[in-house]
């Protein structure tokens, strides 16, 4: 079954080099990089590439992925970057060195568990800057919680403050937004009478500040996944030059199982497709189309797939099939041929999570 398709090819050397390049660029501006492995479902080889490329710590939203990284022999600090569930507190303490937090109740539970396991657990408090996912909105509340942790919780070490942007609210990490975080960090430091080790200014989108060279001095940690795995996104979404990074870490390859000339408009009474939707079809006459043995179950939405060849148009998909117009393709597609696609973040998450997809390292 080793030769089977669909296949996701991962170029580990290019990934390692991307990590090293981002680590170096950030390091030049006094910023450490947390390597976020969740975009590739924490595949241990991917985690190792983040480690070898020089990420200061490894991070994921899922404990299972961090456990796999530990079992793969990685000894860097592990960080849970999704607010911990109360139900997973004992595993958070067992597996990770640090977590991002926004609820005192959870922090108290982490403290009790850390005492039980004889550990000191580090936390970064998350502050809301307007993206409206996780974090404290009320500035006084952050200060009070910081003070409480400092004075009352023996097994919790407050090491920093952080924020998340560009996820739900699609808010940009402008210099002003990050200055706001830096100001809050200073207020906490004043209240505690000491410096914070980390001021964590966001994720991939914050690399814009590194590229522009205008990240506020106080920001010294970024959590980066996407920008390293799929460097192209920095260009696609924000129009930044990422030619210093490899764009070909991931490639999806799928096999052609049927090639036929067919009408472009369905024949009969149109009702609903395999997923209960009623799409619209344009009649372009008879055209040559290829059927691929890969589908929504493998990658999610076909609109997120990017064909690597000119003249190829993805028409649609069902669970296990993808229908492609190859009338204008440069290649004369035949049954058994392999078609190659670039992926985006959403497709990558699905592909690496799907046990039907053969992961191959090149
Ligand atoms: C996913 C995530 C990241 C990494 O985001 P990328 O866009 O992949 O760099 C950083 N921080 C938090 C809190 C996250 O959930």
């Amino acid at each position: 079954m080793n030769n089977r398709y669909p296949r996701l090819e991962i170029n580990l050397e290019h990934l390692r080099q991307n990590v090293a390049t981002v680590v170096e660029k950030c390091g030049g501006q006094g910023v450490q990089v947390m390597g976020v492995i969740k975009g590739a479902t924490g595949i241990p080889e991917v985690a190792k590439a983040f480690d070898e490329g020089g990420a200061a710590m490894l991070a994921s939203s899922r404990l299972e992925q961090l456990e796999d990284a530990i079992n793969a022999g990685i000894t860097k600090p592990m960080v849970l970057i999704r607010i911990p569930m109360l139900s997973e507190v004992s595993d958070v303490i067992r597996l990770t060195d640090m977590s991002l937090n926004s609820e005192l109740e959870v922090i108290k539970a982490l403290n009790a568990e850390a005492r039980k396991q004889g550990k000191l657990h580090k936390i970064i408090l998350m502050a809301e800057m307007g993206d409206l996912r996780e974090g404290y909105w009320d500035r006084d509340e952050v200060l009070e919680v910081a003070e409480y942790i400092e004075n009352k919780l023996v097994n919790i070490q407050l090491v920093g403050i952080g924020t998340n942007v560009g996820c739900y609210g699609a808010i940009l990490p402008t210099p002003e937004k990050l200055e706001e975080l830096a100001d809050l960090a200073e207020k906490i430091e004043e209240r505690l009478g000491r410096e914070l080790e980390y001021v964590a200014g966001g994720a991939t989108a914050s690399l814009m500040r590194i590229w522009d060279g205008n990240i506020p001095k106080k920001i010294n940690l970024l959590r980066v996944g996407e920008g390293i795995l799929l460097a192209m996104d920095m260009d696609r979404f924000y129009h930044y030059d990422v030619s210093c990074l490899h764009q070909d870490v991931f490639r999806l390859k799928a096999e052609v199982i049927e090639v036929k000339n067919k009408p472009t408009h369905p024949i009969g009474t149109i009702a609903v497709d395999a997923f209960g939707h009623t799409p619209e079809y344009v009649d372009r006459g008879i055209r040559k189309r290829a059927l691929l043995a890969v589908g929504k179950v493998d990658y999610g939405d076909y609109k997120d797939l990017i064909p690597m060849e000119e003249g190829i148009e993805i028409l649609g998909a069902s669970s296990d099939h993808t229908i492609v117009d190859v009338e204008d393709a440069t290649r004369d597609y035949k049954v058994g041929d392999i078609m190659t696609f670039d992926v985006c973040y959403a497709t990558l998450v699905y592909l690496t999570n799907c046990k039907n997809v053969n992961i191959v390292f090149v």
Side-chain angles (χ1 to χ4, degrees):
M1 292 288 277
N2 263 353
N3 276 328
R4 75 194 158 86
Y5 291 89
R7 170 187 297 196
L8 183 70
E9 291 184 351
I10 308 181
N11 188 326
L12 290 175
E13 182 52 32
H14 282 186
L15 176 56
R16 252 190 308 271
Q17 288 172 12
N18 279 3
V19 177
T21 302
V22 169
V23 165
E24 192 191 314
K25 272 183 167 285
C26 289
Q29 296 183 47
V31 173
Q32 290 191 55
V33 175
M34 215 187 251
V36 180
I37 60 175
K38 71 185 185 202
T41 317
I43 294 171
E45 288 81 358
V46 168
K48 274 190 190 155
F50 271 95
D51 179 23
E52 291 161 8
M57 325 160 195
L58 290 198
S60 179
S61 48
R62 308 273 175 171
L63 287 175
E64 296 85 344
Q65 297 176 9
L66 296 176
E67 184 162 34
D68 285 349
I70 294 166
N71 291 338
I74 299 173
T75 56
K76 292 256 172 80
M78 298 290 163
V79 186
L80 178 66
I81 55 172
R82 194 243 304 110
I83 307 300
M85 295 186 264
L86 273 177
S87 60
E88 67 182 350
V89 158
S90 73
D91 287 331
V92 176
I93 298 299
R94 181 173 64 86
L95 296 168
T96 74
D97 303 273
M98 195 194 297
S99 57
L100 311 185
N101 283 272
S102 64
E103 289 288 354
L104 186 54
E105 187 183 353
V106 175
I107 299 166
K108 284 179 180 170
L110 288 169
N111 182 60
E113 183 63 32
R115 184 167 55 227
K116 213 195 271 177
Q117 294 187 28
K119 288 190 172 168
L120 184 62
H121 186 73
K122 299 178 176 183
I123 70 165
I124 287 180
L125 283 179
M126 294 300 276
E128 180 62 70
M129 293 287 145
D131 196 64
L132 307 182
R133 200 176 69 183
E134 72 273 45
Y136 289 96
W137 174 240
D138 186 332
R139 297 293 183 256
D140 292 332
E141 193 183 357
V142 196
L143 291 172
E144 279 160 28
V145 169
E147 201 172 12
Y148 183 91
I149 296 167
E150 187 81 350
N151 298 327
K152 297 276 189 345
L153 303 184
V154 174
N155 294 73
I156 296 290
Q157 188 185 5
L158 175 61
V159 292
I161 178 103
T163 194
N164 192 63
V165 284
C167 276
Y168 169 74
I171 293 298
L172 276 180
T174 55
E176 297 73 34
K177 276 279 164 212
L178 295 185
E179 283 295 354
E180 223 182 291
L181 180 69
D183 287 348
L184 183 60
E186 274 165 14
K187 286 207 180 75
I188 294 175
E189 290 177 337
E190 240 167 66
R191 180 75 73 101
L192 302 183
R194 66 167 174 92
E195 294 214 337
L196 291 172
E197 202 175 335
Y198 301 114
V199 183
T204 290
S206 297
L207 286 178
M208 287 189 269
R209 300 285 70 82
I210 298 291
W211 256 243
D212 287 344
N214 61 358
I215 192 149
K217 262 213 168 56
K218 193 107 187 121
I219 309 292
N220 61 7
L221 181 65
L222 293 183
R223 309 173 301 267
V224 187
E226 182 176 1
I228 289 169
L229 297 165
L230 301 166
M232 197 56 195
D233 286 2
M234 279 273 289
D235 180 2
R236 280 172 61 207
F237 301 141
Y238 311 119
H239 313 297
Y240 275 74
D241 177 13
V242 282
S243 51
C244 61
L245 298 171
H246 297 286
Q247 325 280 322
D248 61 349
V249 174
F250 299 96
R251 287 290 180 263
L252 169 64
K253 299 201 164 172
E255 185 169 332
V256 175
I257 52 171
E258 180 190 295
V259 180
K260 303 233 180 282
N261 291 311
K262 290 194 190 186
T264 39
H265 197 275
I267 294 108
T269 310
I270 291 179
V272 291
D273 67 11
F275 284 74
H277 307 300
T278 304
E280 299 213 346
Y281 305 90
V282 180
D283 192 348
R284 300 170 70 195
I286 302 273
R287 289 177 70 86
K288 183 177 173 185
R289 53 169 72 195
L291 193 60
L292 302 175
V294 67
K296 291 185 183 179
V297 162
D298 305 290
Y299 55 69
D301 189 347
Y302 72 86
K303 295 192 181 87
D304 290 333
L305 285 181
I306 306 150
M308 293 300 297
E309 280 170 66
E310 296 282 308
I312 284 178
E313 188 191 351
I314 306 173
L315 298 170
S318 57
S319 303
D320 309 299
H321 296 85
T322 303
I323 304 149
V324 183
D325 185 304
V326 292
E327 179 76 29
D328 303 326
T330 42
R331 189 145 59 114
D332 181 23
Y333 274 98
K334 296 194 171 54
V335 166
D337 282 350
I338 304 302
M339 203 179 277
T340 305
F341 300 88
D342 196 358
V343 301
C344 72
Y345 193 82
T347 35
L348 182 60
V349 169
Y350 282 105
L351 288 165
T352 48
N353 256 302
C354 183
K355 67 179 190 322
N356 300 318
V357 177
N358 190 15
I359 306 280
V360 178
F361 302 104
V362 297

